Amino acid sequence: MVIWVVGTMTSCVKNDDEEATLYDDTAITSFSLTSGTQYKHTLSSKGEDSIYAVSANTILANCFFSIDHYTGEITNKDSLPKGIDASKLLCSVSTYHNGVPYLVPLEAGPELVLQATDTVSFLSARTIRVVSTNGQNSRTYTVKVNVHKEEGDEFTWHKMSVLDAIKDVETIESALLGNRLLVFALKANVTEIYAITADHPDTWEKLNTTLTAQAINSKGVVRGDTLFIADDGMVKYSLDGETYTPLATTNVPVAILGKSFRELYGQSAEGLPMVSTDGGRTWTTDAIAAVESGDEERLKTLLPTHDMDFTCIAHPALDSADYVLMAGNRNPEQTESNPYRDDRYGKVWRKVADYGINAQPGQWVCMHETEERARQLPRMDNLQIFGYDNLFLALGGEGIGPDAQPAYSTIYESRDGGLTWKASARCTWPTGMDKAMHMLSVTVDKYNNVWFVCSGTGEVWKGRLNRLGWE
């Protein structure tokens, strides 16, 4: 025991004699936020807006900061959600060779050692100076904490310049071609074209081109930098919205209604879907997926023939494939002789356009062959469907049939490829929009902006889901 005690005492003496190593270099090696608060809005039972606070610690723990040692900038590229209180945050700073971090005050005053328990305001950029352990050298960093100023899942709308020329027009279509928004308006049995540009969004221009009445039946389909329409018995294309060149003159659709990455879709005079796989030069009747031999004729009776629209999104499960949706109504006339007058729902069809090696041509499949399944797409005139944020949205005018609804009352969404539909909480109507319109045309640009063009009122609206505009 005596020998053990003496050895222990000797060891302690040696540790006391050791000197700490001091370094002349240092740097910030990591920065993170450790604690804070987020303020959220809610509605009370009386419909009154109120604010409540929750811990933001989990959100902050998943927020990563990058350090640029060359510029001395520390920042989070993925902004924190709206409502984070950046005025009171705790942070953690790790340094190289145990350098000491000092927080530089925003106004005149001494620098203070930055402790993990110090509440710091990051409403503006803050400076942290880290000093080497020997006190001879230091490096300065600027910390910027980015916080979103808008809710990511809110839809924000902006009213654009009114197009007076369509206030007395019943039928319109629209298309986005390059930096131009084109509006096609049927007047006196001819189709006139109006345009605004991104450079002059408040000035409408009437283009020096008129098309036949047939052109208004096409959806103004744009693929790449080319606009396709069916006009005067021909398929035509345009690169600027003013000059139209014939592309196909035989076996052409009466209307061009949609596109995928490699295909164009139209409707024949008999109401059958048509497809072009060579950029509109040749057209054939598109295939319908028949389960049993000879079943194709029965399935044709389920095809929509009125208020038709097409859209597509990238297939969620397949590479090099699109998921295409076609929707519309069967004969909407409310006459005794019409076998479809009591239809409760619109007809929705889908097609997988697969461009992979050895892939077989896609076929159209009817999503609902019976009326039994709930939450189908209601019948609406002026039906508009569009892919947005990896799901499908639909809206329309006056309801048709036994479950008719008011015009432009609900925007529907489908998260299962068009099988079921419900009122969308994501895409909302513009506040203050005049719904006493004749017709609404919807188009989506490459920046995820949704455009509403309204005949009868001349209103034009541009909106976007906030987070789809964040870089």
Side-chain angles (χ1 to χ4, degrees), residues 384-386 388 391-395 411-413 421 424 427:
Q384 305 283 300
I385 60 172
F386 52 104
Y388 194 76
L391 49 75
F392 294 107
L393 295 170
L395 56 89
I411 298 177
Y412 295 91
E413 70 175 43
W421 299 81
S424 177
C427 183

Side-chain angles (χ1 to χ4, degrees), residues 36-42 50-56 83 85:
T37 301
Q38 182 182 21
Y39 292 97
K40 295 186 175 184
H41 289 259
T42 188
S50 61
I51 300 175
Y52 64 100
V54 297
S55 170
D85 184 2

Side-chain angles (χ1 to χ4, degrees), residues 285-440:
T285 301
D286 213 352
I288 295 174
V291 178
E292 301 175 358
S293 177
D295 197 35
E296 186 173 344
E297 290 303 315
R298 182 187 66 84
L299 290 173
K300 286 180 180 179
T301 66
L302 300 174
L303 286 168
T305 55
H306 295 70
D307 307 302
M308 288 182 64
D309 205 1
F310 280 63
T311 191
C312 81
I313 59 174
H315 197 287
L318 298 175
D319 293 332
S320 303
D322 286 327
Y323 190 99
V324 190
L325 215 63
M326 167 177 64
N329 300 307
R330 298 193 289 186
N331 189 348
E333 293 180 2
Q334 296 298 294
T335 60
E336 291 289 338
S337 59
N338 179 17
Y340 310 128
R341 66 172 185 173
D342 291 330
D343 280 1
R344 298 177 57 201
Y345 305 111
K347 292 300 177 184
V348 181
W349 290 64
R350 59 95 173 156
K351 174 182 177 179
V352 176
D354 192 347
Y355 318 120
I357 298 175
N358 299 322
Q360 296 298 311
Q363 295 182 321
W364 288 104
V365 177
C366 183
M367 304 291 281
H368 300 286
E369 293 189 37
T370 67
E371 296 269 312
E372 281 74 25
R373 185 179 287 113
R375 296 173 63 183
Q376 297 187 45
L377 183 65
R379 295 182 83 190
M380 299 173 282
D381 68 13
N382 184 210
L383 177 64
Q384 305 283 300
I385 60 172
F386 52 104
Y388 194 76
D389 193 30
N390 296 318
L391 49 75
F392 294 107
L393 295 170
L395 56 89
E398 197 72 34
I400 303 170
D403 296 328
Q405 61 178 1
Y408 308 108
S409 57
T410 306
I411 298 177
Y412 295 91
E413 70 175 43
S414 175
R415 301 189 180 191
D416 54 10
L419 192 64
T420 60
W421 299 81
K422 66 177 182 178
S424 177
R426 170 175 332 206
C427 183
T428 56
W429 292 105
T431 301
M433 177 180 177
D434 185 355
K435 294 185 180 180
M437 67 191 86
H438 296 152
M439 186 174 183
L440 173 64

